Structures are given as C-alpha cells and as structure tokens.
C-alpha cells in the first residue's frame, strides 16, 4: 500500500477536475476531490450551460415575432424573467447532482470544502485536516476580473447575473469579449435597454475582423448601444436603487444593473502554490509543460487555471490526457491546433483556424472566399439580417486554414466543418462535395 492517503488529490470539481478524477479512478487510482463552491464548476454552475439556456430563451423573442409571417396567429406575449431564471437554476441543480453521482460511482471521495496546498504532496482542508497525496492536480478554473474603481462593488459579474431578482430595464455591460456580447444579446431580446461599454475600440479581439464587424453592425441595428474608448470612472448608487455610471469621454449612464465582463483570471489566489515553489505567470496562471506538470514535479494543473485556452472542452481533454498519462500508462498530449470556438451572440459566431490577418502574417499568400447572404427564414420573415461565411485558404497548398461564420446556427454548422479544417482538407475537397439544398450550410461548398 502507498504511504499516501490518496494517489491523486484534485482541487476543483469543474469539467477538467471531474474528468481527471473519474478517469484516474477508473485506472485504479485512489482519488479525492475538494470543491469549495458547487460540483460542476464554471461551465455547469455559472457559465456555458445556464448561459446557453438563457440564449435559447432569448431566441423566442424573435421566433415568436417571425412566426406571424409563417401563418401563425401569435398574440402579443410578455416575458417572465422569474420563470426562466428559476427553471434554469433548477436545471443547474439537476446537473450538479449528476456530476456528484459520477464521482460517487467511480468511488472518488468528495470533500465539499476549500482545500489549499501546504506541501508538494500535502493539502489542508478548511477545517484544518491535512491529507497527503502522491500527486496533486490543480483544476480551480478562472474567476471574473473586476477592475477596482469607486463604486465597483455595485457591479455584478457573470457569477451573479443568473440570480437577478428582476429583469433590469437598463443594463450597462462592461467589456468587449464573448461574455459581454452574449449577455448583451440576451438582455436586449428580453427587452432591456443595453449599453456595452468598452475601454478599447474593438469587440471580440482574436476573431476575424469581418465577422466581428458584422456582429457590431447587427447588434446596433437591434438597438444595442456601444461606447468605445470609455473606461469606467465610478458607479454611484442613487436613493431609488438605480445606478449612475460615470465614464471617461462619455456622458453618465443611468441603469438598474451593471455587469462587468472584463475577462477572467486564473483562480490561484490563496491556494498556497507560490509558497511551495510552484511557478505562476504574470496573470497568476500555473505554468505547466505539455504533460500538464508544474515546476513542482508532484503537482499538475489543467483547465482555465493554466490560462492556455479557456474553453470547457479543452479542460476536459487536458484532464483526460493527464489521467491517461499518469495513471493509465497511455502517454497523451493535447493538440491545441484548430480548436473551434463559438460566441452565442445574436446572431451567433463560429470559428476555427486562422483569421485572415493571422494567415497573411504566417503564410504570406492566401485566398479568401466569402458568402454574404440572407437565410431563407429571414427572407420570409422580412428580417434584413445577413449571414456571413468566410473561408481562408493557403495559396501554396490549397488547404483550408480557417473558417469563420456569423448567422443562424453558425456554431452547429461550424462543429462539423471544423473536422475538415482539422483534417487538413483543401478548397478542392470542399468544392467536390455536393451541396445539401436548401440549407445555410451548403454555402460552405459553393464559395467561388
């Protein structure tokens, strides 16, 4: 028997931590997990799952309106935030239970408390109990970053937004990334007056310029207001409970809620990592090698806490690779090339591979193909909103090195198309594929 209490102790029961725990246990390891919040992590509890359910709810606003053009006698409808909020939270509770059952069925010991690292192979629980493990895995994810300024405590983050007591009539959203744009679309469809405030002049940095410009254009047409180059100065709470937001280069804005979506930082504060010699980068992320091992040989990290690619499926891949490599005798590395991503804005975005700018910088000579069209459903509904698909091709090899899409169901279409990009298929391969008509996806094989 081992001299340690456990073969593996995992801190954080999110997507990466749960996957690593159950896979390691299936390989015969004695595993324990500590989670100070709720099992399931950011994605299940306060991230992509409840957010996507709100996105579905928001889509009904346009669907109900458009249904009239398709012959449905739809009366004027009102939206009840309380009903959607409570149903979403109930679904989160159900999923949390399933994650707990997964750990239990694999005989993983769960400590529902905070744990910190007090030695290369020792952790301490919040009640003072100390446990030893041959290996420790940090899977504590990320946490919303809230810049400090007067009144910043009056703002909420993506952690609290799912629990709002009432739908705000006016909401200010700080940030230009995917979280800001997703919640802007959600609240706008629910009927709130939405203002996005960005300290810079660009939304969705890292996405293709044409695609993000199209989202900006459509968002403004839908009534979302944008304030660029407008850093926060302060937030004042008035006697009636409303908030006054003071910005640089801008008039004050009145709102019932302020949502700060200014990025996420690795959740390593107070874990005791630096005290035992674990190297952290300038943002506080655990520095790991290709095998997820830190500067302390017995300690590993996966997921957002490493700040490599902050996506749930990546954390899951990393957790699987760690467990298979260390406990399963199957050395596995995660391939970070051509990882697809989506923005569940209104309309949504899907992307994989290089943007046009990245391809020109890295490859030199490229060919660009686009399809700019109105979806058939939008035509009949009288909606002028246009989709845009963009293909980036390496001139020298004809290989498709990037696909970028904005339009209805873009993420669903992009997932399948990402297989082709990952496989290194060429523009000729796309051209040789017979179109599936009538569909939006057929535009991918019809670009000339």
């Amino acid at each position: 028997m081992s001299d340690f209490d456990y073969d593996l102790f995992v801190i954080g029961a999110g997507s990466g931590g749960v996957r690593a725990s159950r896979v390691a246990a299936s390989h015969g390891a004695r595993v324990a997990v500590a989670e100070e919040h709720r099992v399931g992590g950011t994605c299940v509890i306060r991230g992509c799952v409840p957010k996507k359910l709100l996105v579905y709810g928001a889509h009904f606003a346009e669907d109900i309106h458009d249904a009239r053009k398709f012959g449905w006698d739809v009366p004027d409808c009102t939206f009840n935030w309380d009903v959607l909020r409570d149903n979403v939270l109930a679904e989160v509770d159900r999923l949390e239970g399933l994650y707990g059952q997964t750990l239990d069925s694999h005989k993983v010991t769960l400590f529902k408390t905070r744990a910190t690292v007090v030695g290369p192979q020792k952790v301490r629980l919040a009640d003072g109990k100390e446990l030893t493990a041959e290996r420790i895995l940090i899977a504590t994810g990320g946490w919303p970053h809230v810049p400090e300024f007067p009144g910043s405590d009056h703002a909420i983050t993506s952690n609290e937004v799912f629990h709002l007591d009432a739908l705000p009539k006016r909401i200010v959203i700080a940030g230009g990334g995917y979280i800001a744009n997703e919640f802007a679309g959600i609240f706008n469809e629910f009927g709130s007056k939405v203002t996005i405030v960005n300290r810079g002049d660009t939304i969705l940095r890292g996405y293709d310029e044409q695609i993000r410009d199209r989202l900006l254009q459509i968002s403004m047409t839908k009534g979302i207001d944008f304030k660029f180059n407008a850093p926060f100065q302060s937030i004042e709470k008035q006697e009636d409970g409303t908030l006054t937001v003071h910005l640089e280069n801008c008039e004050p804005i009145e709102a019932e809620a302020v949502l700060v979506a200014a990025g996420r930082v690795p959740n390593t504060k107070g874990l005791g990592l630096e005290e035992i010699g674990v190297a952290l980068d300038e943002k506080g992320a655990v520095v790991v090698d290709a095998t997820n091992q830190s500067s302390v040989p017995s300690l590993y990290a996966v997921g957002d806490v490493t700040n490599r690619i902050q996506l749930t499926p990546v954390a899951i891949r990393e957790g699987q690779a760690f467990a298979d490599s260390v406990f399963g005798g199957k050395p596995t590395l995660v391939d970070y090339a051509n990882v697809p991503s989506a923005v569940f804005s209104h309309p949504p975005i899907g992307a994989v591979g290089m943007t046009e700018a990245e391809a020109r910088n890295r490859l030199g000579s490229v060919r660009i193909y686009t399809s700019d069209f109105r979806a058939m459903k939008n035509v009949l509904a009288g909606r002028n909103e246009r989709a845009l698909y963009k293909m980036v091709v390496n001139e020298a090899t004809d290989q498709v090195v990037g696909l970028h899409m904005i339009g209805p169901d873009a993420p669903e279409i992009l997932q399948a198309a990402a297989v082709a990009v990952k496989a290194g298929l060429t523009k000729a391969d796309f051209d040789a594929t017979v179109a599936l008509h009538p569909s939006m996806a057929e535009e991918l094989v019809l670009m000339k």
Side-chain angles (χ1 to χ4, degrees), residues 276-296:
I276 67 164
V278 176
L280 305 179
D281 70 11
E282 67 279 0
K283 294 184 178 180
V286 180
V287 178
V288 293
D289 62 15
T291 68
N292 300 298
Q293 190 175 40
S294 77
S295 57
V296 174

Side-chain angles (χ1 to χ4, degrees), residues 218-232:
I218 293 174
S219 297
M220 292 174 66
T221 300
K222 289 179 183 289
I224 298 174
D225 192 16
F226 287 81
K227 306 293 185 185
F228 291 108
N229 300 309
F232 270 71

Side-chain angles (χ1 to χ4, degrees), residues 94-105:
R94 186 186 73 84
L95 293 173
E96 182 186 15
L98 292 178
Y99 269 67
Q101 291 174 25
T102 295
L103 293 174
D104 185 63
S105 66

Side-chain angles (χ1 to χ4, degrees), residues 35-265:
E35 173 54 61
E36 66 175 312
H37 297 295
R38 298 178 66 182
V39 176
T42 295
C43 180
V44 173
I45 304 301
R46 52 189 174 272
C48 35
V49 170
K51 182 272 307 289
K52 187 66 180 292
L53 293 174
L54 293 188
V55 169
Y56 282 134
H59 271 297
F60 281 104
E62 293 183 354
D63 290 344
I64 290 171
H65 179 270
D66 293 349
R68 296 184 175 102
K69 288 293 185 74
F70 287 84
W72 292 95
D73 185 12
V74 180
D76 291 335
C77 299
T78 57
F79 171 68
N80 189 323
W81 164 255
D82 294 355
V83 171
L84 178 59
R85 177 200 61 203
D86 293 348
N87 287 341
V88 168
L89 295 179
E91 175 63 7
V92 167
D93 290 342
R94 186 186 73 84
L95 293 173
E96 182 186 15
L98 292 178
Y99 269 67
Q101 291 174 25
T102 295
L103 293 174
D104 185 63
S105 66
H106 285 81
K107 296 181 172 55
V108 175
T109 302
L110 174 62
F111 295 99
K112 293 187 176 181
T113 185
R114 179 174 176 81
T116 55
V117 179
V118 292
Q121 295 172 302
K122 184 182 291 186
V123 299
R124 180 184 295 144
L125 304 183
D127 63 3
K129 183 177 182 179
E130 293 187 350
L131 299 166
T132 60
E134 185 175 4
R135 293 178 178 87
I136 298 171
L137 178 68
I138 305 299
T140 47
W143 202 253
H145 170 62
V146 180
E148 291 188 9
F149 54 84
S152 60
D153 56 313
H154 297 309
I156 61 172
T157 70
S158 55
N159 286 353
E160 299 84 31
V161 70
F162 301 103
H163 301 270
L164 287 172
D165 291 332
L167 182 70
K169 294 180 180 179
R170 300 162 297 180
I171 184 169
V172 173
I173 301 178
Y178 73 95
I179 296 175
N181 283 278
E182 288 173 342
F183 278 108
I186 289 168
F187 282 109
N188 183 65
E189 296 297 336
F190 289 160
S192 301
K193 171 56 183 173
V194 178
T195 303
I196 288 186
V197 173
N198 193 347
R199 64 180 302 158
D201 58 4
T202 303
I203 65 169
L204 295 177
R205 194 176 304 277
Y207 282 85
D208 190 86
E209 185 175 357
Q210 279 185 276
I211 300 298
R212 66 194 191 204
D213 284 350
R214 177 61 56 89
L215 177 62
L216 177 61
Q217 172 195 351
I218 293 174
S219 297
M220 292 174 66
T221 300
K222 289 179 183 289
I224 298 174
D225 192 16
F226 287 81
K227 306 293 185 185
F228 291 108
N229 300 309
F232 270 71
Q233 291 181 325
S234 65
I235 300 176
E236 287 185 280
K237 190 168 186 177
Q238 307 301 324
E239 290 185 4
D240 62 358
T242 61
L243 303 174
T244 302
V245 181
H246 297 276
L247 309 165
E248 291 183 24
N249 310 314
C250 222
E251 292 297 316
I253 304 173
E254 305 292 331
E256 282 70 38
V258 177
L259 170 63
V260 174
R264 298 175 63 82
V265 294

Side-chain angles (χ1 to χ4, degrees), residues 367 391 393 397-400 420 423-432:
R367 299 197 309 271
M391 179 181 288
V393 178
T397 64
D398 197 45
Q399 182 180 349
V400 178
L425 299 189
T426 64
K427 179 65 167 65
D429 293 320
F430 276 78
D431 293 343

